[in-house]
Amino acid sequence: AAIELLLRRWHTTGDPQTWEAASLTLDRMARGGIFDQLGGGFHRYSVDATWSVPHFEKMLYDNAQLVPVYVHAWQLSGRDRYRRVAEAVLDYVMREMLLDGGGFAASQDADAAGVEGSSFVWTPQQLQSVLGDDAELAADVYAVTLDGNFDEGATVLSLPRTLDELALARSEDAGSIERRLVSIRERLLAARSQRQQAARDDKAITSWNALMVAAFAEAGAAFGNEEYVAVAERAAEFLTTRLMDDGVVQRTWTSAGGARITGFLEDTAALALALLHLHEATGNVKHYETAVSLALTIDTRFGDDGVLHDTAAGTEQLLVRPRTLDDNPLPAGQSLAALVYLRLNALTGDDTWYSRAMRIITPLAPAIARSPLALSTLALALDLALSRRREVAIAGDAADARTRDLVAHVLRQYDPYRVVAWGDPGVPLLENRASIDGAPTAYVCEGSVCSLPATTPDEVDNRLAAVAQGIEQ
């Protein structure tokens, strides 16, 4: 969330320091040992100052929260390396973390056969046995040495030099090295798959799954990747059928025990927010309607004396009813709820949702400057509440390729202050929006004031820019 806040402020203000801080962090994470250079996905944290050696456990929630940040960095900069990282994480999740039925496993252990990191590290001899003549290049690229940086001379793979720096040092063509690396990665990953693998925690946790649903939905829409969106839809179906009981969200699910433990605020709010992202990606009104239903229960089930608590009313009575304010390590439930309320305010025009959001944000806003890392999700909500929000309603047959192209054009662009409604009727933002001459038509609004209809991508861009700048059209 802190990185997202930096990206958002750079997008809004053009302050180069915010971009430099965010991009440096994203680059070093992606090139370091904390990122699985062969299989994709981020390990839980680093155990050294240079980010070379990780604690090898992979958590679903870390990867779910990092995907949108890399997607947004790609949208803002056009640098393909950010897109590749996001895709590598999502491809890893599809390959190794999917459960039967469409949900996502909670985590992968750090060790295999009782040895930490054993399935991830390499020695020069192991590279030679798999790669032959390409072993020397792989060792140079991934900094694999005889001494290693881990136990018994093994090395955690990282990318200490950029491709251009490597090509210059080797007096070789960067494109040629990149092409060879595709084959090198494939062969090393295939060989690694033959090793004993770390165990997987097959428990599905609602909030963690919801964050990953949002990641797949947003990345799928931004990249035009229908497979990613389909994964998000299957996972959402899994959550709303197996982890909801008569409208009440449950916390965890296992194949042996089914759903159990009444869900916390973070579970309900994260699922509602994920479904709103999925509605944008699919135009399926069912996701919007379920999100509204969940949002309506938040105050009644988690509210008390005007504040939200982590636990639902009617659950086991505790000495003190907890109320989490900070992101640690997931976004705080009430910050997620504020984001849900603000998006629903934009989609419905109902200011009750805005009032609910501000009831969360206003008392805590002074603390954001004192603890920005801890309250970054709340800062995102505050930023959204104070921004010029853009509501985009796209009228047109959802099955028409022209409609989908217009939606894709809008969703491909980074705009944290925008909501999009299209497809099935039922979302208030779509009411009384007609297509012009049978062509898909976009209406760009701020509150109750809308611009002239737009039927081409360029016209939509102009309308969005005008609303952002407060220019009437």
Side-chain angles (χ1 to χ4, degrees):
I3 301 171
E4 174 64 25
L5 186 62
L6 290 170
L7 293 176
R8 189 176 294 189
R9 297 315 297 163
W10 181 70
H11 170 70
T12 303
T13 68
D15 179 0
Q17 284 188 306
T18 55
W19 169 253
E20 289 164 9
S23 61
L24 176 66
T25 302
L26 294 172
D27 286 340
R28 295 297 174 86
M29 288 180 68
R31 289 168 50 194
I34 198 170
F35 183 65
D36 182 353
Q37 300 295 337
L38 299 182
F42 286 90
H43 298 292
R44 191 170 190 179
Y45 54 82
S46 177
V47 299
D48 67 339
T50 61
W51 291 20
S52 299
V53 179
H55 175 62
F56 292 92
E57 190 175 15
K58 289 182 180 178
M59 309 301 296
L60 186 70
Y61 57 73
D62 287 328
N63 287 284
Q65 292 177 86
L66 283 166
V67 166
V69 180
Y70 277 94
V71 172
H72 297 161
W74 168 74
Q75 289 174 313
L76 285 165
S77 69
R79 296 177 183 175
D80 282 341
R81 64 176 180 268
Y82 296 133
R83 175 171 177 161
R84 288 196 295 267
V85 172
E87 290 174 333
V89 173
L90 294 174
D91 292 347
Y92 147 73
V93 172
M94 288 195 299
R95 186 181 65 248
E96 300 189 33
M97 299 295 280
L98 275 178
L99 300 172
D100 291 340
F104 304 109
S107 64
Q108 286 179 317
D109 288 350
D111 54 80
V115 181
E116 184 177 359
S118 60
S119 58
F120 295 103
V121 297
W122 294 83
T123 64
Q125 294 82 2
Q126 290 170 331
L127 293 182
Q128 182 65 43
S129 67
V130 174
L131 300 174
D133 291 343
D134 283 330
E136 185 269 336
L137 173 60
D140 203 10
V141 169
Y142 295 119
V144 179
T145 64
L146 289 172
D147 293 334
N149 62 5
F150 197 62
D151 292 343
E152 299 180 358
T155 298
V156 180
L157 303 188
S158 64
L159 299 172
R161 291 182 287 182
T162 67
L163 189 61
D164 288 338
E165 290 170 341
L166 187 72
L168 181 63
R170 293 175 62 89
S171 299
E172 295 182 27
D173 176 65
S176 175
I177 293 176
E178 189 170 27
R179 287 188 292 274
R180 290 174 65 189
L181 282 175
V182 173
S183 172
I184 286 171
R185 281 193 293 266
E186 290 175 350
R187 284 179 284 163
L188 289 178
L189 185 59
R192 196 179 81 177
S193 68
Q194 302 304 310
R195 300 174 177 176
Q196 185 164 348
Q197 301 299 303
R200 189 178 75 171
D201 181 353
D202 284 346
K203 176 170 66 268
I205 299 175
T206 298
S207 59
W208 303 11
N209 270 248
L211 291 170
M212 189 56 80
V213 168
F216 268 102
E218 191 171 357
F223 298 157
N225 188 317
E226 293 183 3
E227 184 179 14
Y228 288 166
V229 176
V231 169
E233 288 218 89
R234 288 195 297 271
E237 182 72 15
F238 174 89
L239 293 174
T240 54
T241 56
R242 303 195 189 189
L243 278 143
M244 283 181 64
D245 181 12
D246 195 23
V248 175
V249 175
Q250 304 299 301
R251 172 68 172 172
T252 66
W253 177 93
T254 61
S255 58
R260 59 186 298 271
I261 306 175
T262 301
F264 301 125
L265 173 60
E266 71 177 47
D267 297 303
T268 301
L271 181 53
L273 189 59
L275 291 170
L276 291 177
H277 281 294
L278 189 54
H279 169 258
E280 280 199 349
T282 64
N284 187 336
V285 74
K286 176 181 71 173
H287 303 313
Y288 164 80
E289 292 170 343
T290 305
V292 171
S293 177
L294 290 171
L296 287 170
T297 70
I298 289 176
D299 272 0
T300 55
R301 298 191 64 243
F302 299 97
D304 183 26
D305 293 330
V307 299
L308 296 179
H309 295 273
D310 296 341
T311 56
T315 55
E316 182 182 356
Q317 209 165 18
L318 303 173
L319 290 175
V320 177
R321 196 175 177 190
R323 183 182 181 225
T324 301
L325 305 180
D326 59 327
D327 301 338
N328 186 30
L330 271 72
Q334 61 184 347
S335 299
L336 290 171
L339 290 172
V340 171
Y341 292 158
L342 291 169
R343 293 184 74 85
L344 287 176
N345 169 236
L347 288 166
T348 65
D350 184 350
D351 286 338
T352 302
W353 293 116
Y354 186 83
S355 297
R356 290 180 178 180
M358 295 312 293
R359 197 164 64 233
I360 296 169
I361 296 168
T362 302
L364 298 172
I368 293 173
R370 296 196 299 271
S371 302
L373 287 175
L375 299 175
S376 292
T377 304
L378 187 67
L380 294 174
L382 173 62
D383 182 55
L384 181 59
L386 299 179
S387 70
R388 284 187 172 277
R389 285 172 289 157
R390 274 80 80 182
E391 300 109 27
V392 182
I394 298 179
D397 183 358
D400 189 329
R402 296 174 300 168
T403 303
R404 292 184 170 272
D405 287 346
L406 195 59
V407 172
H409 175 78
V410 173
L411 295 180
R412 193 159 46 239
Q413 302 174 65
Y414 178 74
D415 189 345
Y417 310 117
R418 176 202 64 215
V419 296
V420 178
W422 67 286
D424 301 332
V427 181
L429 182 59
L430 283 174
E431 290 178 1
N432 302 316
R433 312 293 185 198
S435 59
I436 296 177
D437 297 330
T441 305
Y443 297 82
V444 178
C445 311
E446 181 185 8
S448 59
V449 180
C450 298
S451 66
L452 294 172
T455 57
T456 69
D458 285 345
E459 288 177 346
V460 174
D461 290 345
N462 290 337
R463 305 291 191 271
L464 284 166
V467 171
Q469 297 166 27
I471 301 172
E472 291 188 10
Q473 287 201 34

